[in-house]
Amino acid sequence: MAFNYGSIFGEYGDEKVTGTTKIHPYGTRLVLPDGRIFKYGAMSSAAAIGAGQICQTAATVAGHDMDLVITAAAAVGVKSIALTLQAGDAAADLYAEGYIGINDGPGEGHLYKIDNHLAIAGSADGTINLVDGDSLAEALTTASLAALHKSPYKDVIIYPTTPTGFCVGVAASEIAASSYGWFQTWGLAKVLCDVAFVPGNHVRVSDNTAGSAEPLVRGASNENDEEIGVAALIAPVTTDYGFVNLKISP
């Protein structure tokens, strides 16, 4: 494989490699010679995924996702943020390779990349350390409020019928629970069909069968469900896998 910053230029078949050992940063971008694009991630411990099934980010933790109190003021250039969790423990590095954002107060609107953190108990204080090259662009005070988000490609789940996050891609191969693999985000793919696709029309995630897709009908009851691409070739039947030109993430 040839490497570029944040990307891997691979050969056909690289996208089907899975395993229990993490060998790339979450979200590493794999580009095949034909332009298809995949992102590297890990399934959660909850379930395995089959090839061609749609995947979603891990659901957020209610006590971690908004209004976390900053416990110490921090100046521009500082590379760590002290805060108090609400309910729910955070195991060590639960949010490593993820994000901390300031949702209210001084410094609001800024998003930072997380390097590491120690374990933090629910309702307890902890410190979030930022990656090299990232530091506070605006000073924080104890009136600032923060939110934590895992890497979108960590603890991925099968896209549920009632979404709790956003689509990260379509599994390029079978990936076991707690294992690593590739999720396709761009280009021609085979995708599980719930309701027959209409060639040339937009395709969305299904609200009926987890991990599957169906036509996106503008003005219908589910027009706000997440779009993933455009149907191609012949319409597949239900439970079959149809061609979709994915347009999730280039």
Side-chain angles (χ1 to χ4, degrees):
M1 291 182 179
F3 287 81
N4 193 16
Y5 198 75
S7 295
I8 296 172
F9 296 90
E11 301 297 334
Y12 299 118
D14 288 344
E15 78 280 8
K16 299 178 179 67
V17 175
T18 67
T20 56
T21 300
K22 184 171 180 279
I23 57 176
H24 302 292
Y26 291 122
T28 295
R29 180 174 175 264
L30 169 65
V31 184
L32 295 188
D34 61 2
R36 284 179 291 152
I37 294 174
F38 304 79
K39 300 291 182 68
Y40 187 75
M43 291 300 298
S44 75
S45 60
I49 189 77
Q53 295 184 24
I54 304 170
C55 301
Q56 184 206 268
T57 57
T60 58
V61 179
H64 301 177
D65 59 1
M66 183 172 278
D67 292 344
L68 305 181
V69 174
I70 300 299
T71 57
V76 171
V78 168
K79 296 184 59 61
S80 61
I81 300 174
L83 51 72
T84 302
L85 286 186
Q86 297 177 19
D89 297 345
D93 288 340
L94 177 67
Y95 293 100
E97 299 187 53
Y99 302 90
I100 180 169
I102 308 304
N103 65 269
D104 199 6
E108 61 190 5
H110 286 285
L111 183 69
Y112 302 100
K113 184 77 170 178
I114 297 172
D115 183 43
N116 64 77
H117 62 85
L118 299 176
I120 309 172
S123 303
D125 297 344
T127 299
I128 303 297
N129 300 306
L130 307 183
V131 298
D132 289 343
D134 210 357
S135 60
L136 293 184
E138 187 175 351
L140 303 180
T141 74
T142 53
S144 304
L145 298 173
L148 295 168
H149 198 300
K150 287 183 183 179
S151 165
Y153 305 97
K154 180 178 183 178
D155 297 333
V156 169
I157 63 173
I158 297 172
Y159 203 107
T161 54
T162 300
T164 54
F166 60 88
C167 179
V168 297
V170 174
S173 186
E174 292 74 19
I175 306 174
S178 301
S179 294
Y180 302 90
W182 296 96
F183 302 90
Q184 188 172 352
T185 63
W186 199 262
L188 203 61
K190 277 293 192 179
V191 180
L192 178 61
C193 171
D194 179 42
V195 177
F197 309 153
V198 180
N201 285 11
H202 298 282
V203 174
R204 65 172 174 87
V205 296
S206 173
D207 60 317
N208 297 307
T209 302
S212 67
E214 59 184 82
L216 171 61
V217 181
R218 307 292 183 187
S221 58
N222 294 101
E223 66 173 329
N224 289 329
D225 285 358
E226 190 169 3
E227 180 181 349
I228 64 168
V230 176
L233 299 183
I234 190 170
V237 298
T238 301
T239 73
D240 202 350
Y241 290 74
F243 281 105
V244 176
N245 188 25
L246 296 177
K247 299 179 181 294
I248 299 167
S249 176

